[in-house]
Amino acid sequence: KNQVEQSPQSLIILEGKNCTLQCNYTVSPFSNLRWYKQDTGRGPVSLTIMTFSENTKSNGRYTATLDADTKQSSLHITASQLSDSASYICVVSEATGTASKLTFGTGTRLQVTL
Amino acid sequence: DTEVTQTPKHLVMGMTNKKSLKCEQHMGHRAMYWYKQKAKKPPELMFVYSYEKLSINESVPSRFSPECPNSSLLNLHLHALQPEDSALYLCASSQPWAGARTDTQYFGPGTRLTVL
């Protein structure tokens, strides 16, 4: 069964600090891995997308890494801001015909405080 | 325009009501999705439409009835729902899968549904 596990479940950091979120997956056949940010009560917004051949991808203060051999990914947030408070979801895609099928992690709830 | 819109934003309905959720995108995507998300849980896939045809139904109860009238619109018709169906309903769209980079799913803001 395809699974995506994330750690930690929740995290509280001070504004301006860095943090790293982890994702382990067992999804086959692997297509790509994305990190989404979801504010409470809103739809997820894509931050990064990586295929098996990519090791790292940046989007502003967000940097994602992927190790396709160990099936691990991380999301590093630099110089955190209060607006970074949200759930961060690791999502792995498997190709199924003409539409993608996603396996979602349970997310890491990040709270950035003063 | 990378926007997926959903209406209404909030919906409260009784167990005997019939209502519909609507989703619209103008990105030319030919795959559209309905997800259900309970609080503090990841989204759960309900239905997938590809080229306006239902391609995946994740064993969803028949009280949820999807419809894709054209390539830009996706509806979810609701009838005789239960209180446990209360959740955030998310719509998403993507290009049909033609390689790893083309299937990024864009999500709408969701409809917050409460069943009394």
mmCIF file of all heavy atoms in Angstrom, chain A residues 34-77:
data_model
loop_
_atom_site.group_PDB
_atom_site.id
_atom_site.type_symbol
_atom_site.label_atom_id
_atom_site.label_comp_id
_atom_site.label_asym_id
_atom_site.label_seq_id
_atom_site.Cartn_x
_atom_site.Cartn_y
_atom_site.Cartn_z
ATOM 1 N N ARG A 34 5.763 16.460 -4.326
ATOM 2 C CA ARG A 34 5.523 17.887 -4.117
ATOM 3 C C ARG A 34 5.368 18.188 -2.640
ATOM 4 O O ARG A 34 4.937 17.333 -1.862
ATOM 5 C CB ARG A 34 4.217 18.368 -4.768
ATOM 6 C CG ARG A 34 3.956 18.058 -6.195
ATOM 7 C CD ARG A 34 3.609 16.703 -6.351
ATOM 8 N NE ARG A 34 2.665 16.134 -7.233
ATOM 9 C CZ ARG A 34 1.730 16.700 -7.930
ATOM 10 N NH1 ARG A 34 1.537 17.972 -7.885
ATOM 11 N NH2 ARG A 34 0.940 16.004 -8.680
ATOM 12 N N TRP A 35 5.668 19.391 -2.311
ATOM 13 C CA TRP A 35 5.346 19.943 -1.006
ATOM 14 C C TRP A 35 4.271 21.004 -1.216
ATOM 15 O O TRP A 35 4.400 21.879 -2.082
ATOM 16 C CB TRP A 35 6.575 20.560 -0.345
ATOM 17 C CG TRP A 35 7.523 19.550 0.222
ATOM 18 C CD1 TRP A 35 8.592 18.978 -0.409
ATOM 19 C CD2 TRP A 35 7.499 18.989 1.536
ATOM 20 N NE1 TRP A 35 9.222 18.094 0.427
ATOM 21 C CE2 TRP A 35 8.586 18.083 1.630
ATOM 22 C CE3 TRP A 35 6.676 19.164 2.651
ATOM 23 C CZ2 TRP A 35 8.854 17.361 2.803
ATOM 24 C CZ3 TRP A 35 6.950 18.449 3.806
ATOM 25 C CH2 TRP A 35 8.031 17.558 3.873
ATOM 26 N N TYR A 36 3.204 20.879 -0.402
ATOM 27 C CA TYR A 36 2.128 21.855 -0.428
ATOM 28 C C TYR A 36 2.072 22.566 0.922
ATOM 29 O O TYR A 36 2.353 21.962 1.967
ATOM 30 C CB TYR A 36 0.765 21.185 -0.650
ATOM 31 C CG TYR A 36 0.434 20.799 -2.070
ATOM 32 C CD1 TYR A 36 0.779 19.540 -2.569
ATOM 33 C CD2 TYR A 36 -0.258 21.655 -2.905
ATOM 34 C CE1 TYR A 36 0.441 19.167 -3.857
ATOM 35 C CE2 TYR A 36 -0.602 21.291 -4.203
ATOM 36 C CZ TYR A 36 -0.253 20.046 -4.664
ATOM 37 O OH TYR A 36 -0.581 19.673 -5.943
ATOM 38 N N LYS A 37 1.653 23.817 0.882
ATOM 39 C CA LYS A 37 1.356 24.573 2.099
ATOM 40 C C LYS A 37 -0.150 24.752 2.167
ATOM 41 O O LYS A 37 -0.778 25.147 1.172
ATOM 42 C CB LYS A 37 2.037 25.943 2.050
ATOM 43 C CG LYS A 37 1.720 26.840 3.237
ATOM 44 C CD LYS A 37 2.332 28.230 3.051
ATOM 45 C CE LYS A 37 1.975 29.138 4.229
ATOM 46 N NZ LYS A 37 2.443 30.528 4.020
ATOM 47 N N GLN A 38 -0.728 24.436 3.318
ATOM 48 C CA GLN A 38 -2.175 24.606 3.459
ATOM 49 C C GLN A 38 -2.495 25.417 4.696
ATOM 50 O O GLN A 38 -2.220 24.993 5.828
ATOM 51 C CB GLN A 38 -2.900 23.250 3.519
ATOM 52 C CG GLN A 38 -4.415 23.395 3.548
ATOM 53 C CD GLN A 38 -5.156 22.077 3.467
ATOM 54 O OE1 GLN A 38 -4.618 21.037 3.807
ATOM 55 N NE2 GLN A 38 -6.410 22.122 3.014
ATOM 56 N N ASP A 39 -3.087 26.566 4.484
ATOM 57 C CA ASP A 39 -3.602 27.366 5.586
ATOM 58 C C ASP A 39 -4.908 26.747 6.052
ATOM 59 O O ASP A 39 -5.641 26.140 5.255
ATOM 60 C CB ASP A 39 -3.819 28.815 5.155
ATOM 61 C CG ASP A 39 -2.511 29.514 4.846
ATOM 62 O OD1 ASP A 39 -1.604 29.468 5.695
ATOM 63 O OD2 ASP A 39 -2.380 30.094 3.754
ATOM 64 N N THR A 40 -5.243 26.933 7.313
ATOM 65 C CA THR A 40 -6.446 26.327 7.889
ATOM 66 C C THR A 40 -7.678 26.720 7.094
ATOM 67 O O THR A 40 -7.917 27.904 6.849
ATOM 68 C CB THR A 40 -6.600 26.749 9.360
ATOM 69 O OG1 THR A 40 -5.442 26.335 10.081
ATOM 70 C CG2 THR A 40 -7.822 26.083 9.976
ATOM 71 N N GLY A 41 -8.459 25.721 6.678
ATOM 72 C CA GLY A 41 -9.703 25.985 5.969
ATOM 73 C C GLY A 41 -9.540 26.412 4.530
ATOM 74 O O GLY A 41 -10.509 26.831 3.884
ATOM 75 N N ARG A 42 -8.329 26.306 4.008
ATOM 76 C CA ARG A 42 -8.078 26.705 2.617
ATOM 77 C C ARG A 42 -7.526 25.516 1.829
ATOM 78 O O ARG A 42 -7.105 24.517 2.390
ATOM 79 C CB ARG A 42 -7.064 27.855 2.569
ATOM 80 C CG ARG A 42 -7.450 29.055 3.407
ATOM 81 C CD ARG A 42 -8.589 29.813 2.790
ATOM 82 N NE ARG A 42 -8.205 30.413 1.524
ATOM 83 C CZ ARG A 42 -9.060 31.054 0.720
ATOM 84 N NH1 ARG A 42 -10.321 31.159 1.046
ATOM 85 N NH2 ARG A 42 -8.644 31.594 -0.409
ATOM 86 N N GLY A 43 -7.516 25.652 0.509
ATOM 87 C CA GLY A 43 -6.950 24.599 -0.317
ATOM 88 C C GLY A 43 -5.429 24.615 -0.285
ATOM 89 O O GLY A 43 -4.816 25.652 -0.059
ATOM 90 N N PRO A 44 -4.799 23.470 -0.522
ATOM 91 C CA PRO A 44 -3.329 23.407 -0.553
ATOM 92 C C PRO A 44 -2.759 24.200 -1.722
ATOM 93 O O PRO A 44 -3.354 24.252 -2.796
ATOM 94 C CB PRO A 44 -3.047 21.912 -0.730
ATOM 95 C CG PRO A 44 -4.308 21.209 -0.342
ATOM 96 C CD PRO A 44 -5.418 22.140 -0.699
ATOM 97 N N VAL A 45 -1.595 24.792 -1.498
ATOM 98 C CA VAL A 45 -0.894 25.548 -2.526
ATOM 99 C C VAL A 45 0.466 24.899 -2.747
ATOM 100 O O VAL A 45 1.208 24.664 -1.795
ATOM 101 C CB VAL A 45 -0.721 27.023 -2.114
ATOM 102 C CG1 VAL A 45 0.115 27.770 -3.142
ATOM 103 C CG2 VAL A 45 -2.077 27.688 -1.940
ATOM 104 N N SER A 46 0.790 24.611 -4.005
ATOM 105 C CA SER A 46 2.034 23.929 -4.316
ATOM 106 C C SER A 46 3.245 24.832 -4.064
ATOM 107 O O SER A 46 3.267 25.980 -4.482
ATOM 108 C CB SER A 46 2.026 23.476 -5.780
ATOM 109 O OG SER A 46 3.208 22.804 -6.107
ATOM 110 N N LEU A 47 4.255 24.288 -3.374
ATOM 111 C CA LEU A 47 5.505 25.023 -3.124
ATOM 112 C C LEU A 47 6.596 24.567 -4.075
ATOM 113 O O LEU A 47 7.289 25.379 -4.677
ATOM 114 C CB LEU A 47 5.966 24.806 -1.679
ATOM 115 C CG LEU A 47 5.071 25.339 -0.567
ATOM 116 C CD1 LEU A 47 5.636 24.929 0.788
ATOM 117 C CD2 LEU A 47 4.935 26.837 -0.658
ATOM 118 N N THR A 48 6.799 23.264 -4.167
ATOM 119 C CA THR A 48 7.856 22.711 -5.020
ATOM 120 C C THR A 48 7.376 21.386 -5.609
ATOM 121 O O THR A 48 6.502 20.725 -5.059
ATOM 122 C CB THR A 48 9.148 22.424 -4.238
ATOM 123 O OG1 THR A 48 8.884 21.435 -3.241
ATOM 124 C CG2 THR A 48 9.697 23.671 -3.568
ATOM 125 N N ILE A 49 7.967 21.024 -6.740
ATOM 126 C CA ILE A 49 7.709 19.728 -7.348
ATOM 127 C C ILE A 49 9.037 19.180 -7.841
ATOM 128 O O ILE A 49 9.839 19.920 -8.426
ATOM 129 C CB ILE A 49 6.682 19.811 -8.495
ATOM 130 C CG1 ILE A 49 6.469 18.448 -9.134
ATOM 131 C CG2 ILE A 49 7.102 20.835 -9.531
ATOM 132 C CD1 ILE A 49 5.305 18.409 -10.118
ATOM 133 N N MET A 50 9.304 17.907 -7.572
ATOM 134 C CA MET A 50 10.566 17.292 -7.982
ATOM 135 C C MET A 50 10.307 15.915 -8.572
ATOM 136 O O MET A 50 9.501 15.149 -8.043
ATOM 137 C CB MET A 50 11.510 17.148 -6.782
ATOM 138 C CG MET A 50 12.056 18.454 -6.260
ATOM 139 S SD MET A 50 13.182 18.211 -4.889
ATOM 140 C CE MET A 50 12.028 17.636 -3.651
ATOM 141 N N THR A 51 10.995 15.616 -9.660
ATOM 142 C CA THR A 51 10.972 14.279 -10.226
ATOM 143 C C THR A 51 12.126 13.479 -9.632
ATOM 144 O O THR A 51 12.964 14.017 -8.900
ATOM 145 C CB THR A 51 11.108 14.330 -11.754
ATOM 146 O OG1 THR A 51 12.383 14.899 -12.076
ATOM 147 C CG2 THR A 51 10.001 15.193 -12.348
ATOM 148 N N PHE A 52 12.215 12.195 -10.004
ATOM 149 C CA PHE A 52 13.212 11.317 -9.386
ATOM 150 C C PHE A 52 14.637 11.754 -9.684
ATOM 151 O O PHE A 52 15.564 11.426 -8.964
ATOM 152 C CB PHE A 52 12.988 9.876 -9.842
ATOM 153 C CG PHE A 52 13.330 9.644 -11.281
ATOM 154 C CD1 PHE A 52 14.601 9.245 -11.682
ATOM 155 C CD2 PHE A 52 12.377 9.831 -12.269
ATOM 156 C CE1 PHE A 52 14.897 9.034 -13.015
ATOM 157 C CE2 PHE A 52 12.658 9.627 -13.606
ATOM 158 C CZ PHE A 52 13.921 9.238 -13.984
ATOM 159 N N SER A 53 14.831 12.506 -10.754
ATOM 160 C CA SER A 53 16.185 12.894 -11.145
ATOM 161 C C SER A 53 16.647 14.193 -10.488
ATOM 162 O O SER A 53 17.788 14.618 -10.669
ATOM 163 C CB SER A 53 16.277 13.051 -12.666
ATOM 164 O OG SER A 53 15.381 14.055 -13.104
ATOM 165 N N GLU A 54 15.783 14.833 -9.738
ATOM 166 C CA GLU A 54 16.131 16.113 -9.113
ATOM 167 C C GLU A 54 16.436 15.919 -7.637
ATOM 168 O O GLU A 54 15.695 15.230 -6.933
ATOM 169 C CB GLU A 54 14.982 17.116 -9.283
ATOM 170 C CG GLU A 54 14.739 17.474 -10.736
ATOM 171 C CD GLU A 54 13.533 18.375 -10.894
ATOM 172 O OE1 GLU A 54 12.422 17.916 -10.582
ATOM 173 O OE2 GLU A 54 13.708 19.531 -11.328
ATOM 174 N N ASN A 55 17.511 16.540 -7.164
ATOM 175 C CA ASN A 55 17.911 16.414 -5.770
ATOM 176 C C ASN A 55 17.426 17.559 -4.903
ATOM 177 O O ASN A 55 17.203 17.391 -3.702
ATOM 178 C CB ASN A 55 19.437 16.342 -5.656
ATOM 179 C CG ASN A 55 20.008 15.180 -6.429
ATOM 180 O OD1 ASN A 55 20.789 15.363 -7.353
ATOM 181 N ND2 ASN A 55 19.595 13.986 -6.059
ATOM 182 N N THR A 56 17.310 18.725 -5.494
ATOM 183 C CA THR A 56 16.934 19.889 -4.713
ATOM 184 C C THR A 56 16.164 20.882 -5.578
ATOM 185 O O THR A 56 16.374 20.975 -6.783
ATOM 186 C CB THR A 56 18.182 20.564 -4.097
ATOM 187 O OG1 THR A 56 17.751 21.636 -3.249
ATOM 188 C CG2 THR A 56 19.091 21.112 -5.170
ATOM 189 N N LYS A 57 15.268 21.592 -4.937
ATOM 190 C CA LYS A 57 14.455 22.604 -5.630
ATOM 191 C C LYS A 57 14.119 23.703 -4.648
ATOM 192 O O LYS A 57 13.692 23.408 -3.524
ATOM 193 C CB LYS A 57 13.165 21.961 -6.164
ATOM 194 C CG LYS A 57 12.278 22.872 -6.965
ATOM 195 C CD LYS A 57 12.913 23.306 -8.268
ATOM 196 C CE LYS A 57 13.112 22.169 -9.209
ATOM 197 N NZ LYS A 57 11.842 21.675 -9.793
ATOM 198 N N SER A 58 14.333 24.947 -5.076
ATOM 199 C CA SER A 58 14.079 26.082 -4.179
ATOM 200 C C SER A 58 12.939 26.944 -4.688
ATOM 201 O O SER A 58 12.722 27.067 -5.888
ATOM 202 C CB SER A 58 15.340 26.944 -4.039
ATOM 203 O OG SER A 58 16.326 26.246 -3.318
ATOM 204 N N ASN A 59 12.242 27.547 -3.762
ATOM 205 C CA ASN A 59 11.170 28.498 -4.057
ATOM 206 C C ASN A 59 11.216 29.550 -2.963
ATOM 207 O O ASN A 59 10.600 29.413 -1.912
ATOM 208 C CB ASN A 59 9.816 27.787 -4.068
ATOM 209 C CG ASN A 59 8.662 28.751 -4.310
ATOM 210 O OD1 ASN A 59 8.857 29.945 -4.524
ATOM 211 N ND2 ASN A 59 7.453 28.224 -4.282
ATOM 212 N N GLY A 60 12.000 30.599 -3.212
ATOM 213 C CA GLY A 60 12.168 31.639 -2.196
ATOM 214 C C GLY A 60 12.856 31.076 -0.964
ATOM 215 O O GLY A 60 13.950 30.520 -1.051
ATOM 216 N N ARG A 61 12.195 31.198 0.175
ATOM 217 C CA ARG A 61 12.789 30.714 1.424
ATOM 218 C C ARG A 61 12.559 29.224 1.653
ATOM 219 O O ARG A 61 12.958 28.673 2.679
ATOM 220 C CB ARG A 61 12.213 31.518 2.595
ATOM 221 C CG ARG A 61 12.570 33.010 2.575
ATOM 222 C CD ARG A 61 11.972 33.770 3.754
ATOM 223 N NE ARG A 61 10.509 33.774 3.701
ATOM 224 C CZ ARG A 61 9.737 32.989 4.444
ATOM 225 N NH1 ARG A 61 10.266 32.150 5.312
ATOM 226 N NH2 ARG A 61 8.425 33.062 4.339
ATOM 227 N N TYR A 62 11.900 28.571 0.722
ATOM 228 C CA TYR A 62 11.638 27.139 0.828
ATOM 229 C C TYR A 62 12.624 26.370 -0.064
ATOM 230 O O TYR A 62 12.758 26.689 -1.239
ATOM 231 C CB TYR A 62 10.218 26.813 0.377
ATOM 232 C CG TYR A 62 9.129 27.523 1.142
ATOM 233 C CD1 TYR A 62 8.470 28.620 0.591
ATOM 234 C CD2 TYR A 62 8.754 27.093 2.411
ATOM 235 C CE1 TYR A 62 7.456 29.260 1.293
ATOM 236 C CE2 TYR A 62 7.742 27.726 3.105
ATOM 237 C CZ TYR A 62 7.102 28.807 2.548
ATOM 238 O OH TYR A 62 6.096 29.444 3.246
ATOM 239 N N THR A 63 13.275 25.352 0.509
ATOM 240 C CA THR A 63 14.165 24.485 -0.266
ATOM 241 C C THR A 63 13.798 23.040 0.023
ATOM 242 O O THR A 63 13.818 22.609 1.183
ATOM 243 C CB THR A 63 15.638 24.723 0.083
ATOM 244 O OG1 THR A 63 15.981 26.074 -0.223
ATOM 245 C CG2 THR A 63 16.526 23.787 -0.734
ATOM 246 N N ALA A 64 13.460 22.312 -1.024
ATOM 247 C CA ALA A 64 13.120 20.901 -0.878
ATOM 248 C C ALA A 64 14.259 20.050 -1.403
ATOM 249 O O ALA A 64 14.937 20.415 -2.361
ATOM 250 C CB ALA A 64 11.829 20.587 -1.627
ATOM 251 N N THR A 65 14.467 18.903 -0.762
ATOM 252 C CA THR A 65 15.459 17.934 -1.242
ATOM 253 C C THR A 65 14.765 16.598 -1.454
ATOM 254 O O THR A 65 13.736 16.311 -0.847
ATOM 255 C CB THR A 65 16.606 17.752 -0.231
ATOM 256 O OG1 THR A 65 16.084 17.172 0.971
ATOM 257 C CG2 THR A 65 17.274 19.077 0.089
ATOM 258 N N LEU A 66 15.335 15.801 -2.326
ATOM 259 C CA LEU A 66 14.783 14.483 -2.606
ATOM 260 C C LEU A 66 15.918 13.486 -2.767
ATOM 261 O O LEU A 66 16.862 13.731 -3.516
ATOM 262 C CB LEU A 66 13.941 14.511 -3.883
ATOM 263 C CG LEU A 66 13.404 13.166 -4.374
ATOM 264 C CD1 LEU A 66 12.421 12.578 -3.368
ATOM 265 C CD2 LEU A 66 12.750 13.319 -5.748
ATOM 266 N N ASP A 67 15.815 12.374 -2.040
ATOM 267 C CA ASP A 67 16.724 11.241 -2.226
ATOM 268 C C ASP A 67 15.861 10.069 -2.689
ATOM 269 O O ASP A 67 15.203 9.410 -1.880
ATOM 270 C CB ASP A 67 17.438 10.917 -0.912
ATOM 271 C CG ASP A 67 18.503 9.838 -1.089
ATOM 272 O OD1 ASP A 67 18.352 8.993 -1.998
ATOM 273 O OD2 ASP A 67 19.456 9.800 -0.316
ATOM 274 N N ALA A 68 15.869 9.821 -3.985
ATOM 275 C CA ALA A 68 14.999 8.793 -4.550
ATOM 276 C C ALA A 68 15.454 7.389 -4.164
ATOM 277 O O ALA A 68 14.662 6.447 -4.190
ATOM 278 C CB ALA A 68 14.955 8.932 -6.072
ATOM 279 N N ASP A 69 16.722 7.252 -3.792
ATOM 280 C CA ASP A 69 17.217 5.929 -3.400
ATOM 281 C C ASP A 69 16.663 5.525 -2.040
ATOM 282 O O ASP A 69 16.225 4.390 -1.843
ATOM 283 C CB ASP A 69 18.752 5.931 -3.360
ATOM 284 C CG ASP A 69 19.347 6.060 -4.747
ATOM 285 O OD1 ASP A 69 18.712 5.596 -5.711
ATOM 286 O OD2 ASP A 69 20.454 6.630 -4.874
ATOM 287 N N THR A 70 16.707 6.455 -1.095
ATOM 288 C CA THR A 70 16.193 6.155 0.246
ATOM 289 C C THR A 70 14.721 6.528 0.393
ATOM 290 O O THR A 70 14.119 6.271 1.436
ATOM 291 C CB THR A 70 16.996 6.916 1.319
ATOM 292 O OG1 THR A 70 16.853 8.328 1.098
ATOM 293 C CG2 THR A 70 18.465 6.534 1.269
ATOM 294 N N LYS A 71 14.154 7.148 -0.644
ATOM 295 C CA LYS A 71 12.741 7.558 -0.645
ATOM 296 C C LYS A 71 12.455 8.508 0.517
ATOM 297 O O LYS A 71 11.504 8.307 1.296
ATOM 298 C CB LYS A 71 11.829 6.335 -0.615
ATOM 299 C CG LYS A 71 12.011 5.449 -1.836
ATOM 300 C CD LYS A 71 11.001 4.319 -1.903
ATOM 301 C CE LYS A 71 11.219 3.517 -3.183
ATOM 302 N NZ LYS A 71 10.277 2.383 -3.312
ATOM 303 N N GLN A 72 13.302 9.520 0.580
ATOM 304 C CA GLN A 72 13.145 10.536 1.613
ATOM 305 C C GLN A 72 13.200 11.917 0.990
ATOM 306 O O GLN A 72 13.909 12.151 0.005
ATOM 307 C CB GLN A 72 14.254 10.410 2.673
ATOM 308 C CG GLN A 72 14.214 9.117 3.463
ATOM 309 C CD GLN A 72 15.337 9.029 4.480
ATOM 310 O OE1 GLN A 72 16.435 9.521 4.254
ATOM 311 N NE2 GLN A 72 15.038 8.418 5.618
ATOM 312 N N SER A 73 12.453 12.826 1.592
ATOM 313 C CA SER A 73 12.473 14.221 1.157
ATOM 314 C C SER A 73 12.448 15.115 2.387
ATOM 315 O O SER A 73 11.993 14.699 3.463
ATOM 316 C CB SER A 73 11.272 14.515 0.266
ATOM 317 O OG SER A 73 11.217 15.886 -0.086
ATOM 318 N N SER A 74 12.934 16.314 2.224
ATOM 319 C CA SER A 74 12.866 17.282 3.310
ATOM 320 C C SER A 74 12.477 18.640 2.745
ATOM 321 O O SER A 74 12.694 18.920 1.557
ATOM 322 C CB SER A 74 14.213 17.391 4.048
ATOM 323 O OG SER A 74 15.189 17.945 3.185
ATOM 324 N N LEU A 75 11.873 19.444 3.592
ATOM 325 C CA LEU A 75 11.548 20.832 3.246
ATOM 326 C C LEU A 75 12.192 21.726 4.289
ATOM 327 O O LEU A 75 11.888 21.622 5.480
ATOM 328 C CB LEU A 75 10.037 21.069 3.214
ATOM 329 C CG LEU A 75 9.615 22.499 2.854
ATOM 330 C CD1 LEU A 75 9.931 22.791 1.387
ATOM 331 C CD2 LEU A 75 8.132 22.720 3.125
ATOM 332 N N HIS A 76 13.099 22.582 3.833
ATOM 333 C CA HIS A 76 13.803 23.489 4.731
ATOM 334 C C HIS A 76 13.239 24.895 4.555
ATOM 335 O O HIS A 76 13.136 25.382 3.422
ATOM 336 C CB HIS A 76 15.300 23.484 4.403
ATOM 337 C CG HIS A 76 16.128 24.268 5.370
ATOM 338 N ND1 HIS A 76 16.396 23.846 6.652
ATOM 339 C CD2 HIS A 76 16.722 25.483 5.242
ATOM 340 C CE1 HIS A 76 17.144 24.755 7.274
ATOM 341 N NE2 HIS A 76 17.353 25.752 6.451
ATOM 342 N N ILE A 77 12.850 25.497 5.665
ATOM 343 C CA ILE A 77 12.329 26.858 5.643
ATOM 344 C C ILE A 77 13.344 27.768 6.316
ATOM 345 O O ILE A 77 13.738 27.526 7.475
ATOM 346 C CB ILE A 77 10.964 26.964 6.358
ATOM 347 C CG1 ILE A 77 9.970 25.982 5.731
ATOM 348 C CG2 ILE A 77 10.422 28.388 6.267
ATOM 349 C CD1 ILE A 77 8.635 25.913 6.442
#
